[in-house]
Amino acid sequence: MKLELWRNATLLIQIGEKNILIDPMLGAKGSLGKFPMTDNELLNPLVDLPFSEEELKDKLSKIDAVAVTHLHPDHWDGKAIELLNKDIPVICPEVIAEHIAQSGFKNIISIKDSMIWENINITITQGQHGTGEIGEKMGEVNGFVFKTEEKTLYIVGDSIWYEGIATEIDKHRPQHIVVAGGAATFVVGDPIIMTSQDIIKVCEYIPDATVLITHLEAVSHCKEDRKFIQDKIIESGWQDRCFVLLNGEEYSFD
């Protein structure tokens, strides 16, 4: 089992012989424009993908399935809808299946709780995309647990640390966890994804797991960059278990 960070939340996961693309945001730098309720004029995404358009098309030709946690544009954008084969399996929570179908995708695998796909046990997990009124406006978000006989990978998705994450960890006991860092925050309200303090709480809660951090330096409302988070990890002594991924970086779980 291994993964490659493309950008933001977009990950390519290889489980056995299967390649699963998570939360594809495939548009060019600036293609999503300015995000609402931010304190800057930056255009999203802030950076291009770490490979050329030809390389992207080659990578997409080798994808066996796509998995989508939720429909915010930095996880499922117009370019992904344009480029992805409409016959490819799209794994998603039940709540967003119809919306994805409206974009022409014909092989949607919607999950209410869990299922087995190609000998991989896939479970939908719950998240909390912020607190208070902002959290309500961000809507329902989910994550995935991918489990084989040897490995369990928990992709938390866009969520802060809250008791629900602890519950999912207790239930699945993953060896590897992917979290969305960066402390994304609008002009009002609290962060809507994990702060460095939240990430440290994940490490403390399950100290024998590997924690990988994504969602950094790609969208304009994130307040913590890679260096800031890396410094906090070192200060807390988790540098042997907690890793900040770079765009294009591969990580093997073997």
Side-chain angles (χ1 to χ4, degrees), residues 18-172:
K18 298 301 178 181
N19 293 310
I20 304 173
L21 183 63
I22 310 293
D23 283 352
M25 175 179 65
L26 305 182
K29 177 181 176 180
S31 59
L32 295 177
K34 179 186 174 183
F35 281 175
M37 296 179 64
T38 56
D39 55 2
N40 59 67
E41 298 296 320
L42 299 174
L43 303 181
N44 296 278
L46 303 179
V47 294
D48 278 315
L49 289 165
F51 34 74
S52 69
E53 197 161 324
E54 286 187 5
E55 289 172 312
L56 171 61
K57 290 180 180 178
D58 179 64
K59 286 176 176 287
L60 292 179
S61 72
K62 300 171 183 176
I63 299 297
D64 296 296
V66 177
V68 183
T69 62
H70 66 296
L71 295 175
H72 290 166
D74 61 325
H75 293 250
W76 178 250
D77 69 351
K79 193 66 173 180
I81 293 170
E82 173 191 334
L83 291 179
L84 290 170
N85 187 320
K86 297 302 182 293
D87 292 318
I88 197 167
V90 179
I91 301 164
C92 66
E94 272 189 348
V95 67
I96 62 174
E98 179 57 33
H99 191 284
I100 291 174
Q102 290 173 5
S103 295
F105 291 88
K106 304 171 185 175
N107 190 4
I108 298 172
I109 303 172
S110 64
I111 307 177
K112 183 176 181 180
D113 296 307
S114 64
M115 62 161 292
I116 295 175
W117 177 80
E118 299 289 347
N119 296 317
I120 305 166
N121 190 295
I122 305 174
T123 300
I124 294 292
T125 62
Q126 301 300 309
Q128 184 174 321
H129 206 355
T131 59
E133 185 178 349
I134 289 293
E136 291 179 8
K137 287 183 176 180
M138 297 304 289
E140 183 174 344
V141 293
N142 298 99
F144 293 104
V145 171
F146 297 92
K147 186 174 184 178
T148 67
E149 290 184 0
E150 297 84 20
K151 302 285 184 183
T152 300
L153 170 64
Y154 174 24
I155 297 179
V156 175
D158 276 12
S159 180
I160 58 174
W161 169 263
Y162 76 114
E163 62 181 13
I165 303 301
T167 298
E168 299 288 2
I169 290 173
D170 290 342
K171 179 179 179 181
H172 300 286

Side-chain angles (χ1 to χ4, degrees), residues 235-253:
E235 287 176 15
S236 302
W238 290 105
Q239 62 270 21
D240 293 332
R241 285 283 185 179
C242 187
F243 304 99
V244 176
L245 295 178
L246 300 174
N247 294 349
E249 183 175 357
E250 292 187 359
Y251 187 94
S252 175
F253 300 121

Side-chain angles (χ1 to χ4, degrees), residues 156-204:
V156 175
D158 276 12
S159 180
I160 58 174
W161 169 263
Y162 76 114
E163 62 181 13
I165 303 301
T167 298
E168 299 288 2
I169 290 173
D170 290 342
K171 179 179 179 181
H172 300 286
R173 303 307 300 176
Q175 297 104 328
H176 310 287
I177 303 175
V178 176
V179 301
T185 310
F186 294 109
V187 291
V188 295
D190 297 323
I192 59 173
I193 55 177
M194 289 197 187
T195 65
S196 53
Q197 290 180 329
D198 285 342
I199 295 166
I200 298 304
K201 289 177 182 177
V202 176
C203 296
E204 292 172 344

